[in-house]
Amino acid sequence: MKLCIIGSGYVGLVSGACFAEVGHHVVCVDNNEKKVAQLLKGEVPIYEPGLEELLHRNVAAGRLSFTTSTEEGVDKSDVVFIAVPTPPQPDGSVDLSYIEKVAREIAAVLKPGQYRVIVDKSTVPVKTGEKVADTIRRYNKGGAEFDVVSNPEFLREGCAVPDLMKPDRIVIGGNSERAVALMQKIYEPFMAPVLVTDINSAELIKHAANSFLALKISYINAVARICEASGADVEKVADGIGSDKRIGRNFLNAGIGYGGSCFPKDIAAFIAISEDLGVPFTLLKEVEKINSTQRERFIAKIREALWVLKDKKIAVWGLTFKPDTDDVRSSVAVQVVQDLVAEGADVIAYDPKGTEKAIEFQLIQGARVAKSPLEAAQGAEALVIATEWNEFTAVDLAELKNAMHTPLIFDGRNLLNPETVRNAGFQYTSIGRS
Ligand code: UGA
């Protein structure tokens, strides 16, 4: 089938590459000329395992192209996906101006006699589809036929390609049989369970799914506090409750809280829309509160051990919001660096992939950066693990101890084994493990 994806960010690019991989012809549209020029040269603006090969292969096969022209994309395609940003506003509600602008742009280039399915892939509050349809109707002077569909994405950064190629489920929210049939055809090659719903339910599924996952994380983090107060071990508690199939072990890893460009924004947006609808989702406010205080409690532990943080040399391993990505947006690891710098500590950070972006977006001003975990730890009075990169588990503990001024480790992701680390001569503090 012929598809157009407007917005070549995380979701748009990965979706475009995967749709092309299963044989569709895809035009990716972006209004950022620099990004499109980069993509046309074969350069990939984000780090995501497997994406570069997929893009190169499908461009070479003639199934994937890039342009800045919405008209070209809409003209060449049966189905047009909207995958533009939906950033948060200061009150937590979503800024839908990019979506609205794209809806007007699509309407302006729709030609009489054309039929197009307009699919919202960006994460949006419930009832956005209705507004997109109204907008297109208002600005579509030629009277072309169209239907709006909601098709939320469930990609995790770091494993977005396998998540899209082998999804747990595909959600298609549409009120027109013709549009839903086309969407089912697009997804046929993925051989995954398809759930067809109305538009509002599909939009809600996305916010409700992310909120539930965030709730699981805050739940285990709250349990971790009780473990610390009682001498229990949160890993064992998580294994014990997670082996009940109704609960599941995933997303029960205690740590310094969730971050990234999705959870914090989506939970705030879900709270805002629930308030708008007159049914405030107060449980999610507690989820947010546990999340932010989790980091504060962690910093307090460091302060308690080092007494004064000012002028202390502290190594921080990890800047990205999770491993296997270069994404540092709303990263708790970055916030930890900022907290330590704000208290006057001499922070030296290392991250396998995120350093460049952290510097580019001026997120770690006042901190220095290192080229390896051991370089960061050289002469450090404490080491903080803020992201659970696999690379950190391979560091030789004897070398690490030699490099550091004082052998103190604060593991915010429960990455290391407490017994091994303590046997190697470190004073070790983690989350919810006595
Ligand atoms: C999340 C969802 O998992 C995806 O299903 C969804 O499609 C995506 O948001 C989105 O809305 O686009 P992502 O933000 O890439 O994906 O990352 P996750 O793997 O969900 O991790 C989010 C945060 O939770 C990270 O900071 C991670 O460190 C933290 N986390 C995760 C924990 O603290 N504990 C856990 O047990 C799991």
Side-chain angles (χ1 to χ4, degrees):
M1 285 184 68
K2 295 191 169 64
L3 314 179
C4 163
I5 303 193
I6 302 182
S8 298
Y10 209 88
V11 172
L13 259 191
V14 178
S15 304
C18 292
F19 283 144
E21 179 72 4
V22 299
H24 298 307
H25 282 84
V26 183
V27 184
C28 289
V29 179
D30 201 288
N31 62 4
N32 182 335
E33 287 178 13
K34 200 173 137 207
K35 190 189 271 183
V36 173
Q38 225 184 333
L39 286 163
L40 287 169
K41 277 193 278 176
E43 292 167 16
V44 184
I46 51 169
Y47 169 74
E48 182 63 32
L51 179 62
E52 193 167 350
E53 298 90 291
L54 220 58
L55 288 174
H56 290 168
R57 187 162 59 237
N58 287 287
V59 168
R63 287 190 298 264
L64 184 60
S65 59
F66 306 98
T67 178
T68 52
S69 162
T70 303
E71 183 161 15
E72 182 190 336
V74 173
D75 262 352
K76 283 187 179 166
S77 314
D78 309 306
V79 178
V80 180
F81 289 82
I82 304 177
V84 294
T86 49
Q89 308 199 87
D91 67 352
S93 66
V94 180
D95 174 359
L96 291 168
S97 60
Y98 297 96
I99 299 262
E100 196 264 354
K101 185 164 172 274
V102 169
R104 279 188 283 122
E105 282 168 7
I106 294 170
V109 299
L110 279 176
K111 310 227 162 55
Q114 282 181 339
Y115 170 72
R116 295 289 180 268
V117 178
I118 316 297
V119 185
D120 183 20
K121 218 172 207 338
S122 304
T123 301
V124 292
V126 61
K127 293 173 100 61
T128 300
E130 291 173 3
K131 295 194 184 92
V132 168
D134 283 348
T135 306
I136 298 180
R137 219 168 283 129
R138 226 172 317 124
Y139 287 86
N140 167 24
K141 300 271 189 245
E145 267 191 276
F146 74 92
D147 280 306
V148 170
V149 163
S150 164
N151 172 221
E153 54 81 19
F154 301 102
L155 316 177
R156 284 163 303 166
E157 291 190 23
C159 39
V161 172
D163 275 359
L164 209 148
M165 295 305 290
K166 288 191 191 314
D168 286 352
R169 80 307 206 180
I170 287 150
V171 175
I172 300 172
N175 304 340
S176 132
E177 274 180 29
R178 185 180 180 187
V180 168
L182 279 174
M183 292 298 294
Q184 281 171 319
K185 211 167 147 207
I186 293 173
Y187 281 107
E188 231 167 51
F190 294 93
M191 292 186 293
V194 174
L195 182 68
V196 177
T197 70
D198 58 283
I199 299 180
N200 288 344
S201 302
E203 289 169 339
L204 256 180
I205 286 170
K206 171 68 191 200
H207 266 160
N210 272 5
S211 302
F212 191 78
L213 293 171
L215 172 92
K216 276 188 96 174
I217 299 169
S218 280
Y219 183 86
I220 201 67
N221 281 335
V223 170
R225 296 176 189 183
I226 301 172
C227 289
E228 283 171 13
S230 62
D233 182 328
V234 75
E235 301 279 307
K236 296 200 174 97
V237 176
D239 289 345
I241 59 177
S243 50
D244 182 330
K245 284 195 190 69
R246 294 169 302 173
I247 297 173
R249 178 64 177 80
N250 290 334
F251 281 73
L252 285 181
N253 294 320
I256 45 178
Y258 59 77
S261 64
C262 302
F263 284 177
K265 164 178 88 88
D266 291 352
I267 281 74
F270 205 23
I271 292 173
I273 188 77
S274 71
E275 285 169 356
D276 267 9
L277 293 168
V279 280
F281 202 157
T282 47
L283 173 66
L284 294 183
K285 291 209 163 180
E286 192 58 27
V287 169
E288 277 184 331
K289 192 170 154 205
I290 293 169
N291 198 56
S292 57
T293 48
Q294 196 64 7
R295 186 185 92 245
E296 287 162 20
R297 287 171 59 95
F298 183 65
I299 299 287
K301 283 182 193 172
I302 304 174
R303 206 183 289 119
E304 200 180 296
L306 296 182
W307 186 22
V308 172
L309 296 185
K310 192 169 182 303
D311 297 330
K312 292 276 155 59
K313 188 170 178 195
I314 303 180
V316 176
W317 284 357
L319 289 170
T320 52
F321 83 101
K322 66 175 198 178
D324 298 321
T325 174
D326 63 352
D327 197 342
V328 288
R329 289 174 293 170
S330 302
S331 165
V332 183
V334 161
Q335 289 159 6
V336 164
V337 169
Q338 291 169 348
D339 288 345
L340 296 173
V341 168
E343 295 214 22
D346 173 16
V347 176
I348 177 150
Y350 168 74
D351 189 278
K353 294 273 180 223
T355 312
E356 219 172 284
K357 286 199 170 152
I359 293 171
E360 184 188 334
F361 302 140
Q362 305 189 340
L363 295 174
I364 50 167
Q365 281 172 317
R368 295 181 288 143
V369 293
K371 289 200 169 62
S372 74
L374 279 177
E375 186 191 321
Q378 203 63 43
E381 290 154 274
L383 165 66
V384 171
I385 302 177
T387 312
E388 65 276 36
W389 284 95
N390 223 351
E391 178 181 331
F392 302 153
T393 57
V395 173
D396 184 89
L397 290 176
E399 274 185 65
L400 178 64
K401 188 160 176 271
N402 270 341
M404 292 180 71
H405 176 276
T406 335
L408 244 66
I409 298 180
F410 297 90
D411 185 350
R413 295 291 176 188
N414 287 355
L415 181 69
L416 306 180
N417 180 299
E419 212 182 315
T420 315
V421 183
R422 287 193 184 117
N423 287 344
F426 288 89
Q427 187 181 317
Y428 177 74
T429 307
S430 56
I431 309 287
R433 300 190 294 183
S434 47

